Amino acid sequence: MPFIPHTDEDIAGMLDAIGVDSIDALFDEIPAELRAQGLDGVPAGLSEMEVTQLLQARARADGEPTCFIGAGAYDHHIPAAVWQIATRGEFYSAYTPYQAEASQGTLQVLYEFQSMMTALTGLDVSNASLYDGASALAEAVLMAVRSNRKVKQPRVLMPRSVHPFYRRTVASIVQHQGIELVEIDFDRRSGQTRVADCEAVADAPFAALVVPQPNVFGVLEDVDALTDWAQARDALVIGLVNPVALALLSPPGDWGQAGADLACGEGQPLGMPLASGGPYLGFLCCKQAFIRQLPGRIAGRTEDLEGKVGYTLTLQAREQHIRRSKATSNICTNQGLLVTAATIHMAILGAEGLERVAAACHANTARLAQQLCEVPGVEPIFDAPAFHERALRLPAPTETVLAALAEQDILGGFDLGREYPELGSAVLICATEKRTDAEIAAYREALASALVIAQAA
């Protein structure tokens, strides 16, 4: 028997209380031309086999484009074992492990994930995930403002070299909590956020400084100088990091004299496919001193009276789940399945494997940038060291060029000009370990052709 929560009388009563005549009236702000008029492209009465064949045919019509887009979501190789294991019933159907005695496997996975993230970031404590990297940064900002005992002003310095989508997410979450986000400009030659740029906006005390590494342009920041500068002013430092890059770069816990106080980021590079924007996971790590302010799940490891290892959720106030208005965060679930995939992914690769992936990404992007800059009119925008993304200037409108590349089944990059108009016709390119020499060469030839057409138009 189907479960129908609302009777016709219930619905009529609710509509009467609201003061509208129908449910459709609740959506009257949607223009008529944007409303679905029926699914004409979906034939009626197809069998399962016929539906499968139809969807496969339509998928093939989209082509199989080669991806050179990064900007926060990356086309990495995912070992087949990752999702073969992660989608086993024990993990796939598991929810938040409130009952520790029945959830030892899930809790152990969360604990192993936390252990791996603390090893990558060089910090003391990790949570067991948030929704995504952008909301993880927002939670880090809130946490830093709560945790800073020396600076009471709720001001946070936010470099423009932080991904614009992340900055908008943070602003949306903290704008009603009295927190001021102060933007710091970047150097046009290097693409870095310099201490002098920070000084220019630090006319009042601030609770925290966000330091991206690498930043949205792929450029490596001078994290040691920025960390020491902020901490000398009693501010906390939030490292926004790429977990793959941390296999090669100095971890946030080692930045400057005392290390960053918090580190966060997006876990998508660790075993999550590109899938129309998610689902992904955000990670958040911190020094031991701030553990009581850390949002999200924390799994702990202990031993019982018989010396047997056991796992449980720990340091979680009841308000985190029930009295949400009094909680340190309204994050009340975790991306457990994605955490499982990330843990399996890191366990399969190991430290050496992750380092080799990072090195291959760096080498491939350097080779891609070199070959693209051989095309007349294409040149690098910034001269500072970078990881596996590069910003290039084009001699034609970026949107036009990317559209021409897409027609040749090449996803050519992220249009930087939309978010940074001062850069002009600029594209952000990326080549992960999956990109081959042949694919890079094909991109170069396609770009040369696209620019000839665009310049002639």
Side-chain angles (χ1 to χ4, degrees):
M1 178 179 177
F3 175 69
I4 302 174
H6 302 128
T7 65
D8 291 340
E9 290 77 12
D10 292 334
I11 295 172
M14 287 187 286
L15 292 175
D16 182 63
I18 295 171
V20 297
D21 297 328
S22 67
I23 291 177
D24 288 341
L26 299 176
F27 304 96
D28 60 0
E29 70 275 10
I30 301 176
E33 63 271 17
L34 296 181
R35 301 185 187 188
Q37 303 299 323
L39 301 177
D40 298 333
V42 180
L46 296 184
S47 68
E48 178 184 345
M49 181 180 70
E50 291 169 331
V51 169
T52 300
Q53 292 171 336
L54 176 64
L55 293 178
Q56 288 174 341
R58 291 182 176 175
R60 286 193 295 270
D62 290 336
E64 296 184 6
T66 306
C67 184
F68 290 95
I69 307 176
Y74 303 95
D75 185 25
H76 287 291
H77 170 67
I78 302 172
V82 172
W83 285 98
Q84 184 68 30
I85 298 172
T87 52
R88 286 180 58 92
E90 302 94 313
F91 295 125
Y92 200 54
S93 60
Y95 186 59
T96 300
Y98 291 116
Q99 294 178 292
E101 66 277 9
S103 307
Q104 286 298 291
T106 301
L107 286 163
Q108 181 176 353
V109 167
L110 299 183
Y111 180 81
E112 298 294 348
F113 171 80
Q114 293 169 186
S115 301
M116 294 175 180
M117 296 315 300
T118 55
L120 274 178
T121 61
L123 291 169
D124 302 318
V125 187
S126 169
N127 71 3
S129 87
L130 300 167
Y131 291 129
D132 55 28
S135 59
L137 178 58
E139 289 292 338
V141 167
L142 293 171
M143 181 178 168
V145 171
R146 290 195 306 268
S147 302
N148 195 324
R149 305 298 184 187
K150 296 180 179 180
V151 178
K152 300 302 181 183
Q153 288 86 343
R155 299 176 75 242
V156 174
L157 304 189
M158 178 73 70
R160 289 187 67 226
S161 61
V162 169
H163 198 300
F165 297 173
Y166 281 45
R167 286 187 278 123
R168 286 201 284 270
T169 299
V170 174
S172 296
I173 292 175
V174 309
Q175 64 180 336
H176 298 300
Q177 304 197 42
I179 296 176
E180 179 187 4
L181 299 176
V182 181
E183 287 197 341
I184 310 170
D185 207 357
F186 59 90
D187 179 60
R188 297 297 184 271
R189 185 171 63 85
S190 67
Q192 295 174 315
T193 301
R194 302 170 302 178
V195 169
D197 300 319
C198 299
E199 291 277 9
V201 300
D203 53 350
F206 55 97
L209 167 68
V210 176
V211 180
Q213 183 71 334
N215 65 28
V216 68
F217 308 123
V219 169
L220 302 184
E221 300 279 7
D222 187 350
V223 294
D224 294 332
L226 293 171
T227 298
D228 288 341
W229 175 85
Q231 291 176 341
R233 287 152 180 78
D234 295 326
L236 301 185
V237 172
I238 302 169
L240 176 61
V241 293
N242 179 327
V244 172
L246 291 181
L248 293 177
L249 302 178
S250 175
D254 291 346
W255 292 357
Q257 296 297 313
D261 302 284
L262 299 88
C264 61
E266 172 59 64
Q268 183 273 331
L270 304 175
M272 275 142 269
L274 297 175
S276 301
Y280 296 147
L281 70 87
F283 60 87
L284 180 54
C285 306
C286 67
K287 292 179 177 177
Q288 183 74 25
F290 309 120
I291 188 171
R292 292 283 180 178
Q293 294 294 332
L294 184 63
R297 298 292 187 267
I298 304 175
R301 180 183 185 275
T302 187
E303 294 183 357
D304 63 15
L305 294 177
E306 298 178 353
K308 297 179 180 178
V309 173
Y311 301 90
T312 186
L313 292 179
T314 186
L315 294 177
Q316 295 291 296
R318 192 61 180 164
E319 287 80 6
Q320 191 81 359
H321 311 283
I322 306 299
R323 300 174 64 196
R324 297 180 68 184
S325 63
K326 295 185 179 296
T328 56
S329 167
N330 283 342
I331 298 295
C332 287
T333 188
N334 75 84
Q335 307 294 85
L337 181 64
L338 289 312
V339 164
T340 301
T343 306
I344 297 168
H345 185 83
M346 288 187 285
I348 290 174
L349 292 183
E352 180 183 351
L354 195 62
E355 183 177 342
R356 289 169 63 186
V357 168
C361 292
H362 178 75
N364 283 352
T365 300
R367 186 162 58 254
L368 173 65
Q370 179 183 6
Q371 292 196 25
L372 295 186
C373 287
E374 293 173 358
V375 177
V378 180
E379 60 182 7
I381 297 177
F382 304 118
D383 60 8
F387 180 53
H388 72 338
E389 284 166 292
R390 296 289 193 282
L392 304 181
R393 183 168 287 112
L394 303 177
T398 307
E399 184 177 0
T400 302
V401 173
L402 291 180
L405 291 172
E407 292 179 358
Q408 301 184 57
D409 261 359
I410 294 175
L411 303 179
F414 179 77
D415 186 350
L416 281 173
R418 292 183 177 181
E419 302 293 340
Y420 301 92
E422 66 272 27
L423 297 181
S425 295
V427 64
L428 186 70
I429 59 166
C430 172
T432 67
E433 78 282 10
K434 288 180 64 175
R435 301 286 70 89
T436 65
D437 290 342
E439 290 171 336
I440 291 173
Y443 185 4
R444 181 192 182 282
E445 296 304 315
L447 178 61
S449 299
L451 286 175
V452 170
I453 296 173
Q455 290 171 319

